[in-house]
Amino acid sequence: MFLATGAAAPLPAQGLELSGQWFRLIMPSLPAAGYFTLSNASSMARTLVGAQSPACGMLMLHRSVSNNGEERMVMVPRITVPAHGNVQFAPGGYHLMCLSPRPAMSPGQSVPVTLRFADGAILTALFPVRNATGK
Ligand SMILES: [Cu+2]
């Protein structure tokens, strides 16, 4: 059991790990989508509550949902990663949505993303940027 000590320093994201991360940039004038797998090796469920990147005007948690064959995206305020489990961010499901991509969001480059968790933990990783065909 963790007790808050009053210090505002972020907790290390112990047990949390990102893998397979990348952004898909279709056109610089369109939002870019971020995909990855988020694993939780700890014995407590962990809840993702936000994301940010200097390469994006705004970075949001999104989910694609299909309604009678029609696909649309909704904002997601929080995503829980079960203990000893993982959550996939992949086309057709959860993804990061980078609004107003900045010039750093360019195929062949990598951009940093910071994920924020409900318990105060933060996790930062570099996301390679690929083009519409995934290259
Ligand atoms: Cu989206």
Side-chain angles (χ1 to χ4, degrees):
M1 177 83 193
F2 244 110
L3 293 178
T5 58
L11 297 171
Q14 272 165 0
L16 293 167
E17 198 174 285
L18 270 186
S19 56
Q21 68 271 25
W22 63 290
F23 270 109
R24 175 190 276 153
L25 183 79
I26 294 172
M27 263 197 276
S29 57
L30 292 177
Y35 304 117
F36 55 95
T37 297
L38 178 56
S39 311
N40 175 11
S42 75
S43 55
M44 289 182 306
R46 310 290 286 273
T47 302
L48 178 62
V49 294
Q52 63 189 82
S53 172
C56 305
M58 186 185 284
L59 188 56
M60 301 190 301
L61 307 178
H62 265 193
R63 184 177 202 174
S64 295
V65 293
S66 75
N67 247 337
N68 299 323
E70 195 176 315
E71 194 165 284
R72 65 193 186 91
M73 297 190 295
V74 294
M75 282 182 61
V76 182
R78 43 180 51 224
I79 298 167
T80 297
V81 190
H84 304 295
N86 66 72
V87 173
Q88 309 278 339
F89 285 67
Y94 289 123
H95 55 278
L96 297 177
M97 192 102 272
C98 171
L99 301 187
S100 306
R102 300 201 168 121
M105 184 70 77
S106 170
Q109 304 294 307
S110 290
V111 300
V113 169
T114 298
L115 301 179
R116 236 171 352 98
F117 293 84
D119 59 7
I122 61 167
L123 181 61
T124 298
L126 279 176
F127 279 53
V129 182
R130 301 182 196 155
N131 65 20
T133 62
K135 291 192 176 142

